[in-house]
């Protein structure tokens, strides 16, 4: 009788706590043994010279999510999860967005239908609460938390999504009662509206002015306010997509005071600056996202936040729109003002190679920090641990096999998403995930897509 379905042999296994030379035995989709001389398996994978790491968990992803009338997301669940697999990610956490006057159950039905039979890797939905009525917070949310939807996002900006402070307090207190975790998009909506109106009156409508319409103080103030509201209710929160030192320091100060505030940053804040929005003609629209990329010192601040642990999470905030498309960045209204350029950049596949190359290879973070920031901390924060996020006996065999020396020039065609560009075109990286496996089955093997569409499952979560 065979001992395992598969043994990954000869690689260097990396977790958030350790680096060790050992083989990985996989049985029934789970890691069953770690060690040497494990025995016989139906299949042996040679990983000599490779790093064997937990597959990435991307806990901030927008797939098939409407943004405005006539605007279409570039990625659905098929293309988004396919791209994730090519980038070494094995679990993505997309959003299920409630519309005003819609129940959470209705929204979930729609998003589950979009994801059904479409996913290459595992998924787990966060809710977006846009309409925090008494029945949503008092009846629907408690039931859904028990069913494994244990986190939700709220917005302090964007028409149709922004909540007032009183509503935020109600959501936070429902989160405290139910044990769910709130992710906050922190930007001051009134500041953004005021500056957007003013810029438009002055004829400053090119994509670059998007960055000026959402300055650092708008993010810092909202971050401070969100933390204050969480302190009043006495509940942990996640501040997502932090772009600069001032917002980062609000989080660090709060944690130093004994609060539990989790910070997240994203590749766009490490690699891009506002000057990328200055491209010729409408080229800058490719980089329009919120908060906007800032400057070099903000990039350094975000790297420091990752290295020091102020940011426990490094996610993509993948929110892709095609560039050269009337349903994307170059929609007719978008050409008339940055106000109408859909916000968001692709990054689901480039996320890990960027952090590996710019972070580990350049000595900014350790391999252990890489694994923690890209997988383990996401699993712990959002209730997927220990099923996911580590290479440990009993965990799902969600594994990315990395060639740490491979030199790759990032081009859009390597990423396999539904967009028509990458903000990181031409970036040279060292280290690449050559194979990605979900629950013991290869999805990408030696650079080829071998997984089955529909193999990815939705995962219910515990309270994080
Ligand atoms: O510009 C961004 N970040 N778009 C995605 C939606 C969000 O706020 O996360
Ligand atoms: Zn956001
Ligand atoms: Zn987002």
């Amino acid at each position: 009788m065979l001992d395992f379905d598969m043994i990954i042999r000869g690689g260097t296994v990396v977790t958030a706590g350790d680096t060790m030379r050992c083989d990985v035995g996989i049985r029934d989709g789970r890691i069953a043994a770690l060690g040497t001389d494990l025995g016989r398996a139906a299949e042996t994978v040679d990983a000599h010279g490779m790093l064997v790491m937990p597959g990435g968990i991307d806990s901030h992803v927008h797939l098939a999510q409407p943004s405005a009338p006539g605007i279409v997301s570039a990625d659905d669940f098929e293309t988004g999860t396919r791209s994730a697999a090519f980038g070494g990610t094995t679990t993505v956490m997309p959003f299920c967005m409630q519309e005003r006057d819609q129940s959470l159950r209705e929204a979930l039905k729609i998003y589950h239908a979009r994801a059904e039979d479409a996913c290459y890797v595992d998924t787990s939905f966060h809710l977006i609460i846009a309409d925090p009525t008494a029945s949503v917070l008092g009846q629907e949310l408690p039931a859904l938390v028990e069913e494994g939807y244990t986190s939700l996002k709220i917005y302090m900006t964007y028409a149709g999504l922004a909540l007032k402070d009183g509503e935020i307090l109600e959501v936070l207190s429902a989160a405290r009662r139910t044990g769910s975790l709130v992710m906050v998009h922190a930007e001051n909506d009134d500041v953004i509206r005021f500056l957007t109106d003013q810029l438009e009156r002055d004829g400053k409508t090119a994509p670059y002015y998007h960055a000026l319409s959402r300055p650092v103080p708008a993010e810092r103030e909202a971050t401070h306010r969100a933390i204050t509201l969480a302190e009043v209710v006495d509940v942990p929160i996640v501040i997502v997509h932090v772009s600069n030192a001032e917002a980062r320091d609000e989080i660090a100060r709060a944690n130093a005071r004994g609060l539990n505030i989790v910070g997240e940053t994203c590749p766009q804040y490490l690699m891009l600056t506002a000057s990328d929005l200055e491209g010729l003609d409408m080229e800058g629209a490719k980089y329009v996202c919120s908060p906007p990329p800032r400057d070099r010192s903000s990039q350094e601040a975000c790297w420091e936040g990752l290295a020091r642990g102020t940011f426990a999470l490094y996610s993509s905030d993948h929110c892709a729109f095609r560039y050269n498309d009337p349903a994307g960045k170059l929609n007719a209204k978008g050409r008339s003002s940055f106000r109408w350029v859909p916000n968001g950049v692709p990054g689901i596949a480039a996320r890990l190679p960027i952090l590996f190359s710019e972070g580990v290879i350049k000595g900014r973070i350790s391999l252990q920090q890489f694994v923690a920031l890209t997988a383990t901390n996401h699993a712990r924060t959002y209730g997927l641990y220990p099923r996911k996020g580590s290479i440990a006996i009993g965990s799902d065999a969600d594994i990315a096999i990395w060639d740490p020396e491979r030199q790759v020039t990032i081009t859009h065609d390597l990423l396999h998403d539904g967009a028509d560009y990458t903000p990181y075109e031409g970036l040279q990286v060292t280290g690449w995930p050559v194979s990605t496996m979900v629950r013991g089955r290869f999805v990408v093997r030696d650079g080829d897509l071998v997984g089955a569409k529909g193999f990815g499952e939705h995962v219910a979560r515990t309270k994080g």
Side-chain angles (χ1 to χ4, degrees):
M1 203 182 94
L2 294 170
D3 302 298
F4 301 100
D5 301 326
M6 183 187 289
I7 294 178
I8 303 174
R9 222 187 275 281
T12 299
V13 172
V14 186
T15 67
D18 263 317
T19 300
M20 57 216 151
R21 288 291 296 273
C22 74
D23 302 339
V24 182
I26 296 168
R27 196 185 305 119
D28 297 332
R30 297 198 169 192
I31 295 165
L34 295 167
T36 48
D37 303 323
L38 291 183
R40 294 181 315 139
E43 186 180 0
T44 299
V45 175
D46 179 12
H48 282 90
M50 301 286 149
L51 298 178
V52 178
M53 302 208 264
I57 299 176
D58 194 343
S59 62
H60 189 151
V61 171
H62 304 266
L63 298 178
Q65 189 182 311
S67 126
I71 303 295
V72 179
S73 165
D75 277 309
D76 56 19
F77 285 85
E78 177 184 345
T79 60
T81 58
R82 179 184 70 197
S83 183
F86 274 101
T89 288
T90 50
T91 304
V92 301
M93 301 185 66
F95 293 95
C96 162
M97 187 175 72
Q98 178 200 30
E99 310 274 351
R100 295 241 185 220
D101 295 324
Q102 189 183 42
S103 72
L104 297 178
R105 290 254 176 227
E106 280 165 344
L108 273 168
K109 202 167 153 200
I110 292 167
Y111 278 84
H112 273 293
R114 288 176 187 160
E116 183 153 5
D117 297 330
C119 298
Y120 285 95
V121 304
D122 285 351
T123 57
S124 190
F125 281 119
H126 306 287
L127 305 166
I128 287 176
I129 297 200
D131 200 3
T133 61
S135 73
V136 164
L137 298 183
Q139 285 155 31
E140 285 205 286
L141 185 64
L144 291 174
V145 171
E146 293 312 312
E147 288 172 33
Y149 303 94
T150 55
S151 53
L152 56 103
K153 184 176 179 189
I154 57 171
Y155 286 82
M156 299 171 85
T157 185
Y158 290 140
L161 287 173
L163 302 186
K164 299 187 181 66
D165 287 0
E167 294 174 311
I168 295 174
L169 286 162
E170 293 294 348
V171 172
L172 292 173
S173 103
R176 184 180 155 85
R177 281 196 304 277
T178 55
S180 50
L181 183 59
V182 178
M183 310 158 76
V184 184
H185 178 128
E187 288 184 291
N188 181 311
D189 196 48
D190 284 338
V191 168
I192 293 164
R193 276 168 199 269
F194 171 79
L195 292 175
T196 301
D197 290 347
Q198 205 171 57
L199 287 161
E200 280 187 342
R201 272 200 303 274
D202 294 345
K204 295 176 172 169
T205 56
Y208 172 66
Y209 294 104
H210 170 81
L212 301 196
S213 74
R214 309 177 91 101
V216 167
E219 186 183 341
R220 183 199 61 222
E221 183 280 331
T223 303
H224 181 85
R225 184 157 39 101
I227 291 170
T228 303
L229 300 178
E231 183 174 6
V232 167
V233 175
D234 187 20
V235 70
I237 54 170
V238 182
I239 303 287
V240 294
H241 47 47
V242 178
S243 72
N244 67 89
E246 296 185 24
R248 178 202 66 185
D249 291 345
E250 294 290 342
I251 297 170
R253 267 195 295 276
N255 286 323
R257 289 206 316 279
L259 305 186
N260 186 359
I261 310 296
V262 180
E264 175 202 78
T265 194
C266 315
Q268 50 271 37
Y269 306 117
L270 304 176
M271 302 306 295
L272 305 178
T273 66
S275 60
D276 285 304
L277 278 78
E278 278 179 314
L280 278 180
D281 194 13
M282 286 293 290
E283 221 25 54
K286 290 179 176 174
Y287 309 93
V288 165
C289 60
S290 296
R294 309 286 183 189
D295 56 12
R296 295 258 173 243
S297 70
S298 300
Q299 292 180 342
E300 277 318 306
C302 290
W303 279 112
E304 280 166 19
L306 290 170
R308 290 186 203 153
T310 311
F311 301 142
L313 303 174
Y314 167 75
S315 311
S316 68
D317 191 8
H318 179 90
C319 185
F321 300 97
R322 290 172 58 78
Y323 171 64
N324 199 1
D325 192 324
K329 297 281 189 182
L330 294 193
N331 69 89
K333 279 166 86 182
R335 289 174 184 271
S336 75
S337 169
F338 64 86
R339 187 197 287 266
W340 306 111
V341 174
N343 283 206
V345 291
I348 202 165
R351 175 181 78 118
L352 300 188
I354 286 173
L355 193 71
F356 189 88
S357 184
E358 294 288 319
V360 179
I361 298 291
K362 294 199 174 168
R364 290 168 159 135
I365 57 169
S366 68
L367 263 177
Q368 271 60 53
Q369 285 175 303
F370 175 84
V371 172
L373 288 164
T374 58
T376 315
N377 292 351
H378 300 253
R380 286 186 188 278
T381 302
Y382 293 113
L384 287 166
Y385 194 83
R387 176 167 170 193
K388 295 193 181 287
S390 190
I391 295 187
I393 291 170
S395 294
D396 283 357
D398 293 352
I399 291 172
I401 301 177
W402 284 69
D403 179 344
E405 289 173 3
R406 186 171 298 190
Q407 313 256 336
V408 175
T409 301
I410 293 183
T411 53
H412 179 247
D413 61 301
L414 288 179
L415 306 179
H416 303 272
D417 61 21
D420 56 354
Y421 75 99
T422 167
Y424 311 108
E425 187 76 28
L427 180 71
Q428 296 191 348
V429 293
T430 301
W432 195 258
V434 289
S435 299
T436 303
M437 141 188 325
V438 175
R439 287 177 277 110
R441 296 256 203 103
F442 280 107
V443 179
V444 170
R445 187 162 194 174
D446 298 325
D448 293 326
L449 185 68
V450 296
K453 184 180 139 187
F455 178 70
E457 288 176 356
H458 187 267
V459 183
R461 287 177 284 124
T462 58
K463 295 170 189 180

